[in-house]
Amino acid sequence: MNSQGAYYLQLALRALQRNPVLTALMVLALAVGIGTCMTTLTVLHVLSGDPLPGRSADLYYPQIDPRDALSYRPGEEPMGQVTWIDGMNLLDAHRADRQALMTGGSVAVQSPRSGVDPFFEDARATTAEFFPMFGVPFRYGHGWDAADDAARARVAVISDALNRRVFGGGDSVGKVLRLDGAAFRVAGVLGDWHPDPHFYDLDLGSYAEPEGVYLPLSTSQDLKMDHEGSVDCWGNGGGGTRPAHNAPCVWLQFWVQLDSPAKVAAYKQFLVNYSAQQKSLGRFQRPPNVRLRSLMQWLSYNQVVPDDVRMQAWLALGFLLVCLVNTVGLLLAKFLRRSSEIGVRRALGASRRAIFTQLLIESGLVGLAGGVLGLLLTLLGLWAVRQQPSNYARLAHLDPAMLLATFGLALAGSLLAGALPAWRACLIPPALQLKAQ
């Protein structure tokens, strides 16, 4: 900072200290607005984030429409899941770079450690490419392969939390874990993997915790493990917790990885051709109706960010605007009370630009102080959010980007609020103030 800037800063500090009550009111008004606004914006930021940065652009969720012709309407949205037959057909076609068919459930876990009672754990029955496609990190071991899928191998991947609970931590690869009474060999232990939202199966909750157990889909069907999640049937579909493989019911999720726009276009055409083929075979009754949304498009379509969070964000922005208007009024009153001082400085040769700069620096100091206090209020607000029973409450934490945004918003808001009062004060004719002295 040059000598002139230091001089303006010194004048601004003295001016703020001259009326501490008014200064405190301005800082408090700005801090409350910043704290309220940043609390809601932070929650909105974490809920609308990319669950797989760097990978999401290549991940797609195919949709086809296998329903009967009853109540058919052209252009209607296709089903959100796939049947067993269609899921296996799409999987066996191998038209994507990677692909995974899956469903959610729960299993009874028996620990080999004494003193640990059996308990239920969320599980994901899926196919081998789930882990490389989603970039799932491993602390120990690895996932299974396509041969294990085909052989209905009794292998499992477990989370680090389950590994600590069942085996006491450490490398448990190769150890035996009993799931629903059957013996499984641990193939791998996951590292830190918490994708939010729970994008790959939104039916279990948009912000559900990742599963503790992962096992081959073929094995889960072989052992007749129960399915958890939505089941949508039509015609004579039976539904239930474990739909029959030939039942007209959708209950599985299917994801693909496509590494180029050309592959995306080719895969969408493949879905159209597949639907037409199934219609010619008599399985499908409706004309081909497909969608191929990217991961982020799928989240947007399903509106995973709760409406109340968006509404709260808009209300908080409105409240911040009210606080800024109040700050404008306080700054205007403060600057106009110093008309005589400003008039004398103008008569002694100070330019309007110099006066405006000094008053704007004064406003900026109010903003910095309001930003510090607003940050504390934001942290308090996020702590209050984490105490709520909502399934997304645990995500309410301030990341570095939102930390910088807090100070940036406070500084920008204070400078914006101070610009009009500072300019108004600069327009006071110095002659009038000199006559009043």
Side-chain angles (χ1 to χ4, degrees), residues 18-264:
R18 196 175 303 158
N19 196 331
V21 175
L22 189 57
T23 299
L25 285 175
M26 291 187 294
V27 171
L28 183 61
L30 189 60
V32 171
I34 293 295
T36 303
C37 187
M38 291 309 300
T39 297
T40 56
L41 289 181
T42 298
V43 173
L44 181 62
H45 168 71
V46 298
L47 295 188
S48 58
D50 187 342
L52 293 180
R55 288 182 174 270
S56 60
D58 295 330
L59 298 177
Y60 293 85
Y61 192 77
Q63 293 172 263
I64 55 178
D65 202 343
R67 288 173 291 185
D68 54 32
L70 186 65
S71 302
Y72 168 68
R73 295 191 302 272
E76 185 179 9
E77 185 70 21
M79 306 293 281
Q81 301 182 102
V82 296
T83 66
W84 175 266
I85 293 176
D86 292 320
M88 294 306 295
N89 286 343
L90 295 175
L91 193 69
D92 292 340
H94 298 289
R95 293 299 186 95
D97 294 295
R98 288 191 178 114
Q99 53 198 358
L101 183 65
M102 67 194 77
T103 189
S106 64
V107 291
V109 180
Q110 293 174 265
S111 173
R113 300 172 66 195
S114 60
V116 179
D117 295 330
F119 58 92
F120 283 96
E121 182 73 18
D122 290 337
R124 176 130 310 253
T126 184
T127 51
E129 290 186 328
F130 176 94
F131 304 103
M133 184 169 68
F134 293 149
V136 182
F138 280 84
R139 189 175 302 277
Y140 305 109
H142 48 75
W144 60 87
D145 56 24
D148 292 322
D149 280 332
R152 295 176 168 81
R154 298 190 179 184
V155 295
V157 169
I158 61 177
S159 67
D160 187 51
L162 184 63
N163 183 48
R164 292 194 303 269
R165 183 175 182 181
V166 175
F167 296 109
D171 188 352
S172 59
V173 173
K175 293 184 178 180
V176 175
L177 178 67
R178 299 194 69 82
L179 304 174
D180 281 359
F184 281 73
R185 176 179 58 83
V186 176
V189 177
L190 297 185
D192 184 19
W193 194 62
H194 292 86
D196 291 305
H198 190 264
F199 67 93
Y200 51 86
D201 189 353
L202 297 175
D203 289 316
L204 294 181
S206 299
Y207 298 95
E209 290 277 4
E211 295 80 2
V213 175
Y214 301 80
L215 66 155
L217 178 63
S218 57
T219 307
S220 74
Q221 297 302 295
D222 191 44
L223 295 176
K224 296 180 170 54
M225 291 179 170
D226 284 341
H227 155 270
E228 290 184 5
S230 67
V231 178
D232 194 355
C233 301
W234 61 93
N236 295 320
T241 58
R242 191 177 62 251
H245 287 177
N246 61 352
C249 303
V250 294
W251 54 284
L252 296 137
Q253 303 83 47
F254 184 63
W255 284 88
V256 298
Q257 177 180 329
L258 302 167
D259 295 337
S260 71
K263 291 181 179 179
V264 174

